[in-house]
Amino acid sequence: DTAVSQTPKYLVTQMGNDKSIKCEQNLGHDTMYWYKQDSKKFLKIMFSYNNKELIINETVPNRFSPKSPDKAHLNLHINSLELGDSAVYFCASSRGLAGRSETQYFGPGTRLLVL
Amino acid sequence: AQSVTQLGSHVSVSEGALVLLRCNYSSSVPPYLFWYVQYPNQGLQLLLKYTSAATLVKGINGFEAEFKKSETSFHLTKPSAHMSDAAEYFCAVSEGGSQGNLIFGKGTKLSVKP
């Protein structure tokens, strides 16, 4: 059983297109996250949701819009894709607002390439 | 603001040799510290974490790390490297606030030579 899953695994698209990445967790967690890993492997938080509500929205362009239809899902929609959006996007989840020591469980990543 | 510095973007060891991956943190409050491993083309997996209990933390796959407040360090070690340990290793600190946001270091790529 996959704890945190993401689809698609690979995404190749043209500049200017709109695309979505889906994430689902079956761990019963309350908090979900999106991270971006750039070409130098640097990981940075983009968004954090708790019980379907946005908790953190780092300095991310508003072309990126997360949507959480329920606690188990956190999707990422990207409008007007740019070359600089090429990266690996990771979804993660944790048990929730139980303090700062919660383990985050990561999905396998979505490798986005914008041409 | 909290931050993490990983010394050495690339570490190479021989199979059977000691593995030492360095991590120093900066935090104005008692930190929670994590080591994650990323195998090629995969997501991140937790190796171990420090949550203010024992300062020597044992993790999976024979790894351990010691929290040293005086040195603001949380170095990761393994007595004997195995070929399967070749991966990217990330140290992270949990950001302030209740949401448990992670601030990652830039990662250290571990290569293991036969």
Side-chain angles (χ1 to χ4, degrees), chain A residues 33-36 43-45 88-90 104 106, chain B residues 102 104:
Chain A
Y33 312 80
W34 277 109
Y35 287 87
K36 179 180 180 181
L43 271 157
K44 188 172 181 183
I45 183 75
V88 183
Y89 292 85
F90 286 101
Q104 292 188 20
F106 285 77
Chain B
L102 286 177
F104 284 92

Side-chain angles (χ1 to χ4, degrees), chain A residues 9-10 31 33 35 37 40-48 55-56 58 88 90 94 96-109 111, chain B residues 2 27 29-32 34 36 38-46 49-51 88 90 94-107:
Chain A
K9 191 170 183 179
Y10 298 97
T31 308
Y33 312 80
Y35 287 87
Q37 185 176 45
K40 295 183 179 180
K41 300 280 188 179
F42 183 57
L43 271 157
K44 188 172 181 183
I45 183 75
M46 298 175 70
F47 301 102
S48 167
I55 304 297
I56 288 183
E58 292 295 316
V88 183
F90 286 101
S94 65
L97 298 179
R100 302 181 294 127
S101 65
E102 292 295 332
T103 298
Q104 292 188 20
Y105 294 83
F106 285 77
R111 284 145 187 84
Chain B
Q2 293 168 312
S27 177
V29 297
Y32 294 120
F34 304 77
Y36 280 86
Q38 184 179 25
Y39 297 103
N41 298 316
Q42 293 188 29
L44 280 76
Q45 179 184 6
L46 181 72
K49 65 180 179 181
Y50 167 74
T51 58
E88 192 90 23
F90 293 92
S94 187
E95 201 173 36
S98 56
Q99 63 269 19
N101 220 14
L102 286 177
I103 306 297
F104 284 92
K106 293 191 175 181

Side-chain angles (χ1 to χ4, degrees), chain B residues 7 14 18 21 24 29 36 38 53 69 75 80-81 84 89 102 104 112:
Chain B
L7 296 175
S14 297
L18 171 72
L21 303 181
N24 288 89
V29 297
Y36 280 86
Q38 184 179 25
K69 185 178 178 181
H75 302 331
S80 175
S84 60
Y89 290 79
L102 286 177
F104 284 92
V112 182

